[in-house]
Amino acid sequence: MAALKRNIWALYFLLVTVGFVLLAVALHQRWQALVSDETSYQLSRAELISQSVHSMLRTHELVLDVVGRELLSNGQPFSDQQKIPLLDSIMSVNPALAGFGLARPDGTFVRMSTNIDPAGLPNLLEDPITGADFRRTLESDTMVVGRTYYLEAVSEWIIPIRKALRSEQGEVVAVMSAGLELGVEGSVLGRNLHDGEDDSVILFRETDGYVQLISREGVGPEQFSSIQVNQEQLASQRREFEAKAGRTIKDIMASREAAVFTMTRGSVDYLTASIYDPRYQLWTVSETRFAPLYREYTATLVPFILSFLAGVWLLFVLFRIIDRAERERREELLHQARHDDLTGLLNRAGLLDRLEHRLTRARPFSLVVINIDNFSGINDRFGLEYGDHTLVEFGRRLERLAEEHDDLARLGSDEFAIITPNTDVVPLTRACTNLVEDLAEIFEVGRLRLQVGASVGIARFPEDGDSLSKLIRSAHLALYEAKQSRNAVCVYEAEMETAYLRRLNVEQRLRYGLASHALYMVYQPQVNDAGDTIGLEALVRWQDEELGFVSPAEFVDVAEKSGLIIPLGNFVLDTSLREFRQLIDKVQQPLDLAINISVIQFCQPGFVDTVLNALKTHDVSPSSLVLEITETLFMGNFEQVLQTICNLRNHGIRLAMDDFGTGYSSLSLLRQLPLDELKIDKSFVDGIVEDEKAANMVRSIVAIARSHNMSLIAEGVEEQAQAQALINMGCLRFQGYYFSRPVAMADIRQKLTDTARQDDTPATIRRS
């Protein structure tokens, strides 16, 4: 017995030593993870800001060229200065523009926007601030970005941009200039690009080392506009840059990706990411001090050490229990009868005994049911043996994380349960949330490193069930709700049972409805500014015998979660094309058919073939079909999505982005995507008349569509004033209740037939 006791405590000290080593490894990995995350953030921000600045400058270069040549085409002599109101309308679309001006090659302004005071305009060639950049403009075929300076004529700090306008013989006939105002709300040239006092973003010129912009706490244009790195400093910084980044400056400048490195300035450590824009010769630098990382890492030391000490203490208690095990053999037999063979936790029988005991005492307690997310994938991929090891390790983690007064059980397969006297919802939910986070940490199973998630359902006695069966049912209903979003914690509510039964009923009836062809299609016309119908959007509807009319939002959500979205999508595609074919055979006029495609449907293998086969079956031209997708589609495998879009467009099918402006779209995303159409979301159209911000947003979307050669359609138009406002902004295609509600194809056919007979229909917007 003495030898056994010595061996037990020798094992304890061995485990403590191993735990200490693991603690050191974990702390090291934590530091590496912090640095890696911050590195990724700085790289992403540098590249994002660089892309945004490039896109903005490229767009303005095009604007300068177009506007400048328009002014030149007027044929008016440039002997006197004139203010041009036309330039003001262009400025109103982009608040970041501080002013426009057209100068002769000798540097004298002759045309300008009305907000500019001619008396405050310098001679661009003679002024010491603008002279060098103006001469570069005269020699360059691309737009030149000038030094940041304070322009008295508009009383603003600006970054000047200038484009030389040449004759057919290549001679400079004029220079179109504009000023980009610093600090405009929502502009990429804003003053809040940095995050906190330890962070900064810098733009500076490669040609002469002048700083264009610094976004940093307490630094404004007055401080950075005169900063110029001399050639000796620039050469020294480049040598350090090359040494830290591991690449030459030429390689970094030629690369499209940002370079990241660490450096020390004035005894302060920095993490820096830099990327170069060769067209406009601008460096974008994103950097942060290491001080926040040091503070965050220090804050993690205490929890790690406390957790280690807690684990040591729990091991101490466990080994004391083991030390006394020989005197408790008879109790061990009963223990085995009430515990799971694999994990050693309470089994179902043991849990039911504990629940019966607590019900008899009639004291409040909570039942927490825990289910491993996607556990079947471990068995399928690695085998049952690894699945069993995973269950054992998961159970051990639960044992380490559960409180001493809690009862822990494995109900079977990948489901566990905890009985706890804690019934206070807020601390109980917080504890379960922490439990899910701790369980998600990576652990080793043999040679594998696995990470599993868990969903948690909570039911309380007696609020959520005053009997054993009711309490267990309530906990499982809460667990079902939690598994809808994975890695979630959900407390039972009475509405869950009603919602659960409703979902089951909707799913069952939807299966029957798809099999019995109970669903049907309606179509909402799309019209142009003359009120003519140019297309239809296909919308699915469902009138069930038992449920009555079911909202598309409800049954589409059920279809996506139950695996019915593929047959539902195929029904919509097939039915819409068949009815569309019948329509165009009758009306004999060109029409488009727009069909919404779900993310799940779009990402299915063979989706392109499915669409092409449906078009061939119903003899519909691919050029008549428009597939509407949402921005959430691009949050997953972007390359796969892009390939599918290209395949569809190669066959003549057009793609439209639905609800544009409400999600994750950016100019860089639109530049990469070969889309044909943007749909302005109803939320912008609703406030277009009264809300100037909504109107400005629509104007921006119109400008984006034009610059990317995309068609544009506004949805949700319900008033004549909205339609007229959209026309004034340049959007000439609409759909909404003002023109027509979604109706059956027979009504569409009748309307188009009647319209065709009216030869004297005026070319104005009209309601159906």
Side-chain angles (χ1 to χ4, degrees), residues 717-734:
V717 180
E718 298 182 354
E719 300 175 2
Q720 196 277 338
Q722 295 172 346
Q724 191 60 52
L726 288 165
I727 291 176
N728 294 339
M729 295 177 186
C731 177
L732 306 179
R733 299 172 63 202
F734 329 89

Side-chain angles (χ1 to χ4, degrees), residues 127-146:
D127 190 274
I129 295 178
T130 62
D133 291 328
F134 189 78
R135 284 187 288 273
R136 283 179 54 211
T137 305
L138 296 176
E139 299 170 358
S140 175
D141 291 329
T142 61
M143 185 179 74
V144 173
V145 180

Side-chain angles (χ1 to χ4, degrees), residues 250-402:
K250 290 184 178 179
D251 290 339
I252 295 172
M253 293 172 67
S255 174
R256 295 184 178 181
E257 298 179 352
V260 65
F261 58 94
T262 59
M263 62 185 305
T264 302
R265 297 200 306 270
S267 73
V268 179
D269 296 328
Y270 289 88
L271 180 63
T272 303
S274 298
I275 186 171
Y276 181 67
D277 185 342
R279 183 176 182 86
Y280 300 109
Q281 302 181 31
L282 286 177
W283 285 95
T284 301
V285 179
S286 174
E287 67 177 12
T288 184
R289 298 174 182 171
F290 269 90
L293 297 180
Y294 296 148
R295 291 194 295 268
E296 185 175 354
Y297 178 70
T298 302
T300 64
L301 290 177
V302 175
F304 273 85
I305 294 174
L306 290 178
S307 299
F308 174 73
L309 295 177
V312 170
W313 182 79
L314 288 173
L315 281 175
F316 175 79
V317 173
L318 177 62
F319 276 79
R320 284 187 62 188
I321 295 173
I322 296 174
D323 191 32
R324 298 171 184 173
E326 285 298 317
R327 292 174 294 176
E328 301 173 351
R329 287 196 175 185
R330 295 184 62 183
E331 289 81 359
E332 183 66 21
L333 295 175
L334 181 62
H335 174 85
Q336 292 178 359
R338 291 291 181 265
H339 285 73
D340 178 59
D341 293 336
L342 181 62
T343 62
L345 306 176
L346 285 172
N347 57 21
R348 181 177 293 273
L351 179 71
L352 293 177
D353 282 349
R354 298 293 176 90
L355 286 173
E356 289 283 6
H357 177 67
R358 290 180 181 267
L359 288 171
T360 302
R361 296 172 61 186
R363 293 182 180 177
F365 66 92
S366 297
L367 174 61
V368 180
V369 181
I370 306 165
N371 185 268
I372 302 177
D373 293 331
N374 296 322
F375 176 72
S376 60
I378 297 177
N379 282 333
D380 296 340
R381 185 174 181 183
F382 305 112
L384 296 178
E385 181 180 356
Y386 280 100
D388 289 345
H389 288 319
T390 301
L391 291 173
V392 172
E393 180 60 29
F394 191 84
R396 288 175 180 172
R397 287 197 173 188
L398 281 178
E399 285 184 302
R400 293 195 295 267
L401 297 171

